[in-house]
Structure formats: C-alpha cells, structure tokens
Amino acid sequence: MATHASSFSSLRAYLLAVSQTPSRFARRGFSVSTSYEEMSRVRARSGTSMRKTLRWFDLVGFGIGGMVGAGVFITTGTATHNFAGPAVVLSFAIAGFCALLSAFCYTEFAVDMPVAGGAFSYLRVTFGEFAAFLTGANLVMDYVMSNAAVARGFTSYVGTTIGVSPEKWRIIIPSFPKGFNQIDMVAVAVVLLITIVICYSTRESSVVNMILTALHILFIAFVIVIGFWKGSWKNFTQPANPENPSGFFPHGAAGVFNGAAAVYLSYIGYDAVSTMAEEVKEPVKDIPIGVSGSVIIVTVLYCLMAASMCMLLPYDMINPEAPFSAAFKSDGWGWVSRVIGVGASFGILTSLIVAMLGQARYMCVIGRSNMVPAWFAKVHPKTSTPVNASAFLGIFTAAIALFTDLDVLLNLVSIGTLFVFYMVANAVVYRRYVAAGTTNPWPTVSFLLSFSFTSIVFTLIWKIVPTGVAKAAMLIACGVFAVAILEFFHFTVPQARKPEFWGVPLMPWIPAMSIFLNLFLLGSLDGKSYIRFGVFSAVTVLFYVLYSVHASFDAEGDGSLDQNVESKERVDQSFKV
C-alpha cells in the first residue's frame, strides 16, 4: 500500500483527518486482526522480543501473588457479617468457580495467541479495534487506580504492624480538598522501587514475587492453623445474639450469593497472568496450569481462611472492617493481629508486582496497535522488558498514590475488570462460531445479545423485586428462558473453528455461565463505579476519535496494518477450521 502523509504532520493535515473521522472510524473501528498477525508483524513493532523465561510454576506464583493481596482480609468480614454468615465458605467456593470459568476463557486465547496483550489482543481479533481499545484503556486505568490504592494500603498495614499511626508517615496539606490532602511518600517509594524491578527483568521479578508469595502463604497458613486450633465448631451454627438468624445458612441462598459477589473482587488479578504469555517457554502446557492452577489454589486458601475465622467468632460478632485482627484480639491473642499485618504487607507487594507487570504489557501492546504512540511498544534490547510502558505507568501510578486517599480510589476500581471478563467470555464464543468471510455472524451475535439481555433481567429481578413467590417465579422463568436460548444455539449453530492445542470445555456452556455470572456481579457494584466507568469510557472514546483512529488509519496506509481480514484468516495457523 502506498505511503501517505501523516495525519499529524501539520495542523492542516490533522484538521483534514478529523473531518474524515466518520469514514475512518467505519474502516478502522471494526477492523480485526488474527492470531498470526498478532504474533508476527504486530509483535515485531516492539523491536526486541521479550525473552521466554517463564514456566508454569512462575505463572502459578504470579497468579497467587496477584490475587492474594490485602483485600481478602477485608472482604471476608463484610461478606460474613452482612451477607452469608458461616456459609461464606461456600461464597468463596462459588466466587472461585466464577473466576475459574473466566480463567478458562482467557486460557484458550492465551494458548492460541501467546502475546503480551491479554484481553486487549483477544478482543482485537474478535470484535475489532474500537472494542479492544475501549476495554483495554479502561483496564489499564483500573490497574493504575487499584495499584495506587494498594500502595497506600501498604503504608497503613506497615504502620499498624509496627504500632505507628500511618498518619505520622504522611504529610497533611490543609489547603488541599479532603481525600487528596495526605501526601504519602512511602507509597510512592514502593511503587517506584517495584517499577525499577519490573523494568530490569521479568525473570528477576518472578523470583522476587515467588519469595514474597511464599512468605505470604506461610503467614496465611499460620492464621488458618491458629484459627482452627483456637476456634470452636459451634460458631458455625450458633450466633452470639439468639435473636439473630442461626444455622450455617442464616440468610439462606440469597446471602450466600450476595457474599460471593462481595468476595469475588478478591480473585481479580489472575488476568494479569495472561499478559505474561509472550514470555512463557511452553505456552501450550504452562499457561493452562498456571492460570487455572493459581485460581484453584487461591480458592482453597480463601475457603480455609474463611472457615478458620468463622470458628473463632460467631458471625454476628465479626468485625466487617478488620475481621481477622479483631477476632484474635477478642480471644486474647492480639499479637496475632501484627502477624496478620506482616502477612498482608507481603501480599500487597506481590499484588503490586503482578499488576504493574500486567499494566505495562497491556500498554505495550496497545502501542503496537498504533492506538497510542508507538513509543510505548518498545522493548529494551538488554532487559527484554517494555521499559517505556513500565516506567511511564509506574510514574503515573506513583503520582496518584502520592496524594489520593484509599477510599477515593477504591470507589473507582473493579467495574472495568468485570466488564473485560464479560467481553472475553463473549469473544471466545464469537471466535469459535464465526470465521471472517465464510460464516454468517448474526446467529452468534443474536445469541450473545439475547443471552446477555436475559442475564441482565435476571440480575435486576434479583436486586429489585421483593422476596416472595412472585420473585422466585420470575427468576425461574428467566433461568428457563436462558437455558432454552443456550440449547437452541448449541444445536442449530455449528462451530466454525476447533482449537488446535487447548480449548474451553463444554462449549458454549462455560462461556455462557461466565457471561451470566459477570453480569450478575456487575449488578452488585455501587453507582459511583458506573459513573466512573461512564466518564472514563467517554474520555476513551474521545481520545480514540481524536487520535487513535487517525494513527491507526495512517499505519494502514503505510502498510503497517492490514485491513484484508479474509487473506489473513487463510494464513492463521492457530486454529483448525
């Protein structure tokens, strides 16, 4: 394709490009790539390749480190006291099952297409450039916001552990608005130190993560053992106040599922493992073990932690804010709360390492696509890491962690990640049943839309309609209708592709269950989360139409990007059609 002038070469050229935005969006917004393209020409835009140094145990370590942060020490109390009671053990099991379903969807893509782009690349090869950028940009921002929040949490946990108030480590600026007036230099130092580590080497980052994760698991095992030793089985069925509901299921099935929604966010983190796929030695073997294995191990740990806590205290005496620390203090073992603080501090560091590795690789691959400046795509020839993306996002994260309060940040995270999980589940169904240029996509699209709509209706009924016979009847009707849609699609639409190496089993049931559960969990988030998602999505769309679509159009004109999907499908070696 002939080379043409850049849309950004002059103000006149840019204004002309902006005037052509509708036609350029129509051409580029829904353009898709292929596995072959992502692993060859797109990956080559980084210059140096990322070094393949990781094995399955590295991925398991990254998965555990990314998930088992400080969050579980908080979400367990809220879910137990407010929702599930002792049945919070089942809430963790259900949430772990939901996470495993999403992990299966990620694994099919990661094995077929072992690149660093994670969900961004998966959506780009199915739903096109615009959908990939919208979800990828939201995910990067969620990473940055949550990492800043977690870094500030490190200051709080370390301060509590050594008996020094975190406020003494922070500089108060009265002229700044509340929530932004506490300068946290410790959080900044932690973020910058981890940034240096992940810039230096992925292999060394894995070693550091493995050491910290091992120490963290030792502390968790200690808490579990002490809880079972000091606790009593009667606390599983008897509340402290006889007037409160009793039994293992004090609030019934609804309480268990509401508890699952509350603790599910403790599992977020395994998706970052998929961004390491480009650096894995044997993707076909290592990725399924690494992703699924880490989710299963974390689920077992969480269930044991919840059980030990419920043995220590009746559910109605558990402190929602600091359940484990308060439980041990009430039993005369206050020193254990400091041990918990040390363990949580290690967990914070591991979750930061994994999340910052993930956010840098997302930004690197978005740079390869030309939707952000290609500077972000560069991989350093000596370290074989995306240094530019790592350093930029590390400094950005540190700047936010410097002054933004933890509570402010926590209201801004999670929804983007759940939305991406939902999109990846849709994408794996679409990719199995639709082959560009040869398959009619509308039966699959119609199924995905109708199934999502039914799931949303089910979620609204669950949240809004008062408990009673009418609610149960409506929920059953929705469930039956969803199963009917699924079965009709399963028997009438043949798969267009068969995975060559590893595929989601029981297609399309498992992705459909993931779609439903992620929509159900999205319904549990507060209004502020949706406001943030809407505002940042609007900013993302604006950036795309003002910059990304024109940079992408220029790359296509220069021959860097290919619009001919059908020809690329024929050379895509990742699936057997």
Side-chain angles (χ1 to χ4, degrees), residues 234-247:
K234 71 177 183 179
N235 290 330
F236 270 112
T237 55
Q238 298 178 15
N241 186 348
E243 297 181 2
N244 289 328
S246 62

Side-chain angles (χ1 to χ4, degrees), residues 127-363:
F127 299 135
E129 183 175 282
F130 176 69
F133 184 72
L134 178 63
T135 51
N138 263 292
L139 195 53
V140 169
M141 183 53 65
D142 273 350
Y143 269 120
V144 170
M145 292 290 186
S146 61
N147 289 341
V150 168
R152 288 181 73 91
F154 179 80
T155 305
S156 299
Y157 269 96
V158 171
T160 302
T161 300
I162 66 176
V164 178
S165 172
E167 280 66 30
K168 292 185 178 180
W169 292 3
R170 293 171 178 154
I171 303 170
I172 309 297
I173 302 180
S175 59
F176 283 19
K178 185 178 179 180
F180 301 91
N181 60 346
Q182 295 187 15
I183 304 300
D184 192 333
M185 296 304 299
V186 175
V188 172
V190 168
V191 171
L192 294 181
L193 181 61
I194 292 176
T195 300
I196 293 171
V197 172
I198 66 174
C199 285
Y200 177 69
S201 168
T202 304
R203 176 73 252 169
E204 275 64 31
S205 298
S206 176
V207 172
V208 172
N209 174 72
M210 293 283 274
I211 294 170
L212 294 175
T213 298
L215 291 172
H216 188 201
I217 291 177
L218 284 176
F219 280 103
I220 288 176
F222 172 78
V223 170
I224 292 170
V225 170
I226 295 296
F228 275 93
W229 178 35
K230 295 290 293 180
S232 171
W233 289 104
K234 71 177 183 179
N235 290 330
F236 270 112
T237 55
Q238 298 178 15
N241 186 348
E243 297 181 2
N244 289 328
S246 62
F248 186 69
F249 298 94
H251 302 295
V256 175
F257 283 103
N258 287 333
V263 303
Y264 184 76
L265 300 182
S266 299
Y267 287 89
I268 290 176
Y270 66 83
D271 63 298
V273 177
S274 69
T275 68
M276 315 290 178
E278 194 169 313
E279 298 156 270
V280 175
K281 286 186 175 180
E282 298 182 43
V284 174
K285 182 180 74 172
D286 294 338
I287 292 175
I289 296 174
V291 178
S292 300
S294 61
V295 172
I296 292 170
I297 291 171
V298 167
T299 300
V300 173
L301 287 175
Y302 282 171
C303 289
L304 290 174
M305 288 179 70
S308 70
M309 185 190 66
C310 291
M311 289 183 67
L312 283 170
L313 284 178
Y315 80 90
D316 54 348
M317 288 184 63
I318 289 172
N319 185 335
E321 301 299 325
F324 290 94
S325 299
F328 282 109
K329 284 180 180 178
S330 68
D331 207 31
W333 284 53
W335 61 273
V336 178
S337 65
R338 295 199 173 186
V339 174
I340 292 172
V342 174
S345 300
F346 285 125
I348 286 172
L349 292 176
T350 60
S351 63
L352 271 175
I353 290 172
V354 176
M356 291 180 68
L357 281 165
Q359 71 183 19
R361 278 145 186 79
Y362 272 118
M363 182 62 83

Side-chain angles (χ1 to χ4, degrees), residues 73-121:
F73 291 102
I74 299 172
T75 59
T76 307
T78 302
T80 305
H81 186 274
N82 298 344
F83 300 118
V88 70
V89 177
L90 296 182
S91 296
F92 271 110
I94 292 169
F97 178 68
C98 298
L100 189 61
L101 297 181
S102 291
F104 282 157
C105 298
Y106 269 82
T107 301
E108 177 168 321
F109 276 113
V111 170
D112 166 58
M113 189 169 55
V115 294
F120 171 82
S121 295

Side-chain angles (χ1 to χ4, degrees), residues 39-91:
M39 292 189 296
S40 56
R41 183 157 46 171
V42 172
R43 186 158 62 182
R45 293 181 198 130
S46 288
T48 304
S49 297
M50 296 185 195
R51 192 174 295 124
K52 294 183 179 293
T53 59
L54 304 180
R55 296 302 307 269
W56 63 267
F57 45 84
D58 295 296
L59 298 184
V60 170
F62 277 131
I64 296 173
M67 285 181 275
V68 187
V72 65
F73 291 102
I74 299 172
T75 59
T76 307
T78 302
T80 305
H81 186 274
N82 298 344
F83 300 118
V88 70
V89 177
L90 296 182
S91 296

